Amino acid sequence: MGKTTRAWQRMLSGRRLDLLDPTPLDIELADIAHGLSFVARWNGQTKGEFAYSVAEHSLLVETIYTRWSPRPDPKWQLAALLHDAPEYVIGDMISPVKAAVGPGYKGLDDRLTAAIHLRFGLPAVLPKSVKAQIKRADTLSAWLEAQHLAGFTQAEADKFFGPQADTADSFTLLLRPPLDAREAYIARCTDLLDQMG
């Protein structure tokens, strides 16, 4: 008899998340925040005393998205904050690795994203205009991080992410202990959920 392959992850909350068939009922904010606060952006190849976590990156992307929105809707601000939430269980792969892994990674990411969105009252698939604006904020964040944390020159950052009008002076890139990043992520998410009513 063949060995059964395990496709679920036990969360600290006690939830058992099926990675191949995730459901909103198995998604918990505390699990997301905890996982993201320990996942390093740039494979950990960043300057500073602490790794730059996906939780910090997500907070920055939401800040950029909010600043660019004339009348920000808390629902879409939350979507910006959660844009990398699946990485709490599948990790943050750099773009070259995602390309090598192929479409299987995107399928896994899409299923987790849909479950997370539904858990927090968002549509499983975001409107294209909202998704594009979040992607634009994500690109600016990556451009800033590349130069100020990951050792890229501006020319390299411009080549990979496109020239950006904003500068690091406009936004703060924070390096905090993981548990501080976790608490900040939970606080911001809770605030946006409260605003959504």
Side-chain angles (χ1 to χ4, degrees):
M1 191 175 225
K3 185 177 179 183
T4 303
T5 302
R6 179 172 65 92
W8 55 268
Q9 168 73 47
R10 174 75 63 193
M11 299 293 145
L12 287 179
S13 65
R15 298 281 188 191
R16 195 168 102 162
L17 179 65
D18 184 335
L19 299 177
L20 300 179
D21 188 22
T23 70
L25 296 175
D26 291 324
I27 306 293
E28 292 290 341
L29 174 57
D31 292 332
I32 293 172
H34 185 81
L36 294 183
S37 69
F38 283 97
V39 175
R41 291 270 294 166
W42 305 94
N43 280 349
Q45 298 301 306
T46 52
K47 301 171 186 174
E49 186 178 348
F50 301 101
Y52 187 70
S53 71
V54 175
E56 294 288 10
H57 163 77
S58 298
L59 287 160
L60 177 59
V61 169
E62 190 268 322
T63 298
I64 295 169
Y65 176 86
T66 298
R67 193 172 300 175
W68 286 349
S69 303
R71 281 189 277 188
D73 183 331
K75 176 169 60 175
W76 305 136
Q77 291 172 273
L78 180 62
L81 183 64
L82 294 170
H83 80 282
D84 278 340
E87 294 177 8
Y88 85 108
V89 286
I90 59 176
D92 180 28
M93 288 193 211
I94 59 173
S95 296
V97 175
K98 286 180 186 175
V101 170
Y105 179 88
K106 182 168 179 359
L108 183 62
D109 187 86
D110 288 346
R111 286 190 299 277
L112 283 164
T113 296
I116 291 165
H117 283 177
L118 293 173
R119 168 65 177 85
F120 295 106
L122 301 172
V125 178
L126 299 178
K128 287 183 181 178
S129 61
V130 172
K131 191 168 183 175
Q133 187 76 340
I134 292 170
K135 181 61 181 169
R136 191 171 152 238
D138 190 30
T139 300
L140 173 58
S141 179
W143 182 82
L144 292 168
E145 294 165 21
Q147 293 175 77
H148 299 281
L149 299 173
F152 285 50
T153 65
Q154 182 172 341
E156 289 171 327
D158 287 349
K159 177 181 176 183
F160 293 111
F161 305 107
Q164 303 290 318
D166 288 290
T167 67
D169 297 336
S170 305
F171 301 99
T172 303
L173 280 71
L174 297 174
L175 291 171
R176 294 184 269 196
L179 298 184
D180 291 352
R182 179 186 72 187
E183 294 308 313
Y185 189 95
I186 289 172
R188 184 59 181 150
C189 190
T190 301
D191 179 48
L192 291 169
L193 287 167
D194 288 346
Q195 289 180 52
M196 285 168 61

